[in-house]
Amino acid sequence: MQTSSNLENSLSFDDFKAEVLNDYKIAVTSRECSLLGRREVLTGKAKFGIFGDGKEVPQLAWAKAFKDGDFRSGYYRDQTFMMAIGELSIQQFFAGLYANTDLNEEPMSAGRQMGGHFATHSLDENGNWKNLTKQKNSSADISPTAGQMPRLLGLAQASKIYRHVDGIDTINFSDNGNEVAWGTIGNASTSEGLFFETINAAGVLQVPMVMSVWDDEYGISVHAKHQTTKENISEILKGFQKEKDTNGYEILHVKGWDYANLIETYQEASKIARVEHIPVLIHVTEVTQPQGHSTSGSHERYKSKERLAWETEYDCNAKMREWIVANGLSTDEELSALEKDIKKAVRDGKKAAWSAFINPIKAEQQDCVNLINTLATTSSNKNFIAKLANDLAAIEEPIRKDVMSAARKALRYVISEESTEKQTLQNWINANIKANNDRYGAYLYSESEHSALQNVEVVPTYSDDAEEVDARVVLRDNFDAIFSKYPEALVFGEDAGHIGDVNQGLEGLQEKYGALRVADVGIREASILGQGIGMAMRGLRPIAEIQYLDYILYALQIMSDDLATVQYRTKGRQKAPLIVRTRGHRLEGIWHSGSQMGGLVHLLRGIHILVPRNMTKAAGFYNTLLESDEPALIVECLNGYRLKEKMPNNLGEFKTPIGVVETIKEGSDITLVSYGSTLRLVEEAAKELQQVGIDAEIIDCQSLLPFDLNHDIVKSIAKTNRLLVIDEDVPGGASAYILQEIVETQNAYEHLDSKPQTLTGKAHRPAYGSDGDYFSKPSSEDIFEKIYQIMHEASPEDYPSLY
């Protein structure tokens, strides 16, 4: 079921008629799916429904302009479009509604996202790129309103990079940058900052982006008069209209029920964006929403009778039907017969999807019932176990929770018994736990051969006469090696281009590699992240620079909801190996010395979080990541750029391993664990501790996500029997995470002779004054005294009290 995308060639009347009727068939099919989908939710077979009814006809027009290689970044109303480009069948629609975990049945997300969230497969089953120029592409949707916007910017910018940067291998990714990135959004969501930030950035960058606003005048129950100045988004965006010798947008207007004009409008928008790389905004007005916002409510509660009557009259499918009959392309009787056939096809597709969803679970249910009944025959608790089997068998439409719950409860009745039947049930449970871990938990990180964890360490090497240089020079020259080695690599951020970043880590590189590869951008962190996500989704290797760690908070929602979940929410069928570069840790002032590591560790699962202690280690992380297919955040030490480091002679080649700690000083009395800038204070304190007879072992975490995969820290604790985690973050921040990893995951409690402790920053951020850091975050004196107190408690005679 796919609509033609080539109306530029003249068609015979018969061909034209057939194409129009095929479009109408898709529109009616989509509407019937929405109507039946709502009923499936209300009867309990599906948990939630949010549908694209009312947007069918504009999406048909959009599909005709959408070409192979193009990308969609939309929201949960675009089902008709996905049907029209041949990427969503009736059965797949309902598979998404039921959350089928089989990727073959539900290719959008294998049941990990609600229905209405769409994606195509950019990767094969081994995590390798498919040829994106030979297919129509949809980046995986997310639910947060306007969250699709930043990524859209990057998807469009990729075309500009591919068109204008020489040397990139474009096979699989681009045909001379002729691809358009198409975005969709509801009118209410245009009130979000992410919308305005992205709109402005696309106008500045002049990228091939076409933005459709589906305007039905409401945001759930809230009318546009409460959402948008003048109740009209294109009216207030007039200032973005492109004029002679300016950048900007072309802004087009069209009514959502006007089939012929919709087709013309989308063809015009496609040509402008594709050929001229000028962004276009299409304001699609007079759109309806026949079933309201979602299955959670009824629009009759907030729309007037007059509005509801208007929506019935101007329903896009009804108006298209009128147009077809008025132009002699079909008759009322013929269309009625077609509609009847479609209703049956949708019902049949729904039944097939339900069978594909429920039958495997019923098979598991029956297996489990049989195993429990067999177990009952050998147990003294036969009656209790048999009841579990009977209760499970009585469930007509089970879910996997029902099955696993019964099986696990059955084991409780045979705790003290041993039998072959018990072992068989245990094996079955373990096998199902493994299978369900794959169904519901796989691909948080890459599982391909390109995983960052597959990279082994390559140590920096040095000439005998290696020069001691400012550390930022090591970083700069390594970036130079990277851009020479990888034509698809690029970096962009505030002050990253002309001045070579605020700390000169990119000094001179824009002049050498051009303003598209080493680029300045505006102060707009969320869309900087979006540029990186979109370009990474299209095969480029972007490095998105956020000037300071504190400002990551502006982009945190996009990092958490979009970037961190790409592989997970597509079950490994899309990736965005974006590197986010920032600098932070200790300096001065509330907003230049924050340590959000605890929050980042919890909110960014799915992204590697790397905390190198110096610039050589940081450079090694960049080299590692560029050989992998995963996203990461690298936090460079803000106060380390002017410190001296030796210049390696294998720039671009040495690699810092991810998830591996490093022991930077061996000792026998206590294990000290830290990261980043604080390590220098730990080293200073350790030297002073040696003067009073305390020999500390120092371990650099290097990466927080993942953390010490080899469990090297517990090996140290087995030797020292004591542990202190030193962290500049607030109490209970990253230190709590690190302590749990060491004590609980690594079972370090078995080796401890003293209470494991943390030394953190204060709950407040540092004041600006020169003493702000000293009295707010761990100082070398704090570290010395904390360690001395631990040793005093262990041996008061050897270490008398300081105070």
Side-chain angles (χ1 to χ4, degrees), residues 19 67 69 107 132 153 174 196 213 215 218 285 291 294 404 466 486 495 651 671 790:
E19 184 163 336
K67 298 182 181 296
L132 305 185
L153 178 65
S174 182
F196 282 96
V213 179
D215 191 347
Y218 284 86
T285 58
Q291 297 187 114
S294 72
M404 288 298 293
Y486 300 101
D495 299 311
L651 294 167
T671 298
I790 292 172

Side-chain angles (χ1 to χ4, degrees), residues 268 510 543 648 729 744:
E268 180 184 359
Q510 184 182 81
I543 301 170
D729 200 2
E744 186 175 324

Side-chain angles (χ1 to χ4, degrees), residues 375-659:
L375 179 69
T377 63
T378 65
S379 174
S380 59
N381 290 311
K382 175 180 178 179
N383 292 337
F384 295 106
I385 297 172
K387 183 179 185 304
L388 283 174
N390 292 336
D391 289 346
L392 176 58
I395 300 174
E396 293 185 3
E397 294 177 346
I399 59 177
R400 288 192 168 93
K401 173 189 172 183
D402 299 324
V403 178
M404 288 298 293
S405 177
R408 295 165 74 181
K409 286 179 179 177
L411 285 181
R412 300 176 188 175
Y413 291 107
V414 292
I415 289 175
S416 59
E417 300 176 10
E418 294 298 332
S419 67
T420 301
E421 291 76 13
K422 175 183 175 180
Q423 184 64 54
T424 301
L425 181 59
Q426 289 173 328
N427 292 341
W428 186 90
I429 290 172
N430 288 331
N432 272 268
I433 288 173
K434 182 178 180 181
N436 287 319
N437 284 341
D438 177 74
R439 290 184 180 109
Y440 304 105
Y443 287 99
L444 178 60
Y445 296 94
S446 172
E447 299 185 12
S448 78
E449 64 181 10
H450 310 294
S451 164
L453 304 186
Q454 300 297 323
N455 277 277
V456 298
E457 181 177 17
V458 176
V459 299
T461 57
Y462 301 92
S463 303
D464 293 338
D465 58 349
E467 184 182 0
E468 291 260 339
V469 298
D470 285 350
R472 62 102 187 169
V473 176
V474 175
L475 203 59
R476 180 199 65 189
D477 289 0
N478 193 75
F479 277 130
D480 190 4
I482 283 173
F483 294 136
S484 177
K485 182 178 181 180
Y486 300 101
E488 66 274 21
L490 61 157
V491 64
F492 48 94
E494 299 157 16
D495 299 311
H498 182 65
I499 69 168
D501 89 37
V502 290
N503 297 101
Q504 298 291 279
L506 297 168
E507 178 190 21
L509 297 186
Q510 184 182 81
E511 184 178 356
K512 183 172 183 178
Y513 293 102
L516 285 177
R517 293 190 65 193
V518 184
D520 287 306
V521 299
I523 301 175
R524 46 174 181 79
E525 286 79 6
S527 57
I528 290 174
L529 255 294
Q531 285 177 250
I533 295 170
M535 286 194 281
M537 283 183 155
R538 291 192 57 191
L540 295 171
R541 294 311 310 265
I543 301 170
E545 180 170 316
I546 303 298
Q547 195 162 89
Y548 296 111
L549 176 64
D550 304 73
Y551 305 153
I552 285 285
L553 297 183
Y554 282 101
L556 188 56
Q557 186 260 323
I558 294 301
M559 293 180 71
S560 179
D561 290 332
D562 196 352
L563 181 60
T565 67
V566 169
Q567 292 236 18
Y568 173 76
R569 72 180 190 267
T570 62
K571 203 175 183 185
R573 290 305 194 267
Q574 288 188 4
K575 62 183 176 183
L578 167 64
I579 301 172
V580 182
R581 180 193 183 207
T582 191
R583 52 191 66 80
H585 304 310
R586 313 173 72 133
L587 192 63
E588 71 273 325
I590 294 176
W591 288 288
H592 289 83
S593 57
S595 183
Q596 299 85 13
M597 303 312 300
L600 298 179
V601 162
H602 293 300
L603 293 169
L604 299 183
R605 302 298 169 98
I607 298 174
H608 296 314
I609 298 182
L610 311 176
V611 283
R613 69 179 182 270
N614 59 39
M615 300 310 153
T616 303
K617 289 290 184 180
F621 277 136
Y622 289 110
N623 298 338
T624 298
L625 289 165
L626 284 167
E627 292 188 7
S628 82
D629 63 354
E630 297 182 87
L633 169 66
I634 298 178
V635 184
E636 298 167 8
C637 293
L638 184 53
N639 56 9
Y641 293 104
R642 300 294 174 180
L643 300 179
K644 298 298 183 182
E645 296 182 30
K646 292 175 67 174
M647 177 64 76
N649 60 13
N650 58 340
L651 294 167
E653 303 298 330
F654 62 87
K655 295 187 290 186
T656 308
I658 291 175

Side-chain angles (χ1 to χ4, degrees), residues 59 75 80 114 243 283 374 377 379 419 572 596 620 664 670 682 698 726 757:
Q59 290 182 24
Y75 81 132
T80 308
M114 295 184 296
E243 299 172 348
H283 189 186
T374 302
T377 63
S379 174
S419 67
Q596 299 85 13
I664 57 178
I670 187 169
V682 173
I698 304 174
I726 304 101
Q757 297 189 51

Side-chain angles (χ1 to χ4, degrees), residues 53 118 127 175 240 243 261 276 307 343-344 347 375-376 460 485 535 561 603 605 650 737 745 747:
D53 47 304
F118 304 115
D175 175 17
F240 285 88
E243 299 172 348
N261 280 329
E276 301 178 56
R307 172 67 190 190
K343 286 178 183 288
K344 182 179 184 305
R347 287 195 302 270
L375 179 69
K485 182 178 181 180
M535 286 194 281
D561 290 332
L603 293 169
R605 302 298 169 98
N650 58 340
Y737 161 76
T745 304
N747 294 323

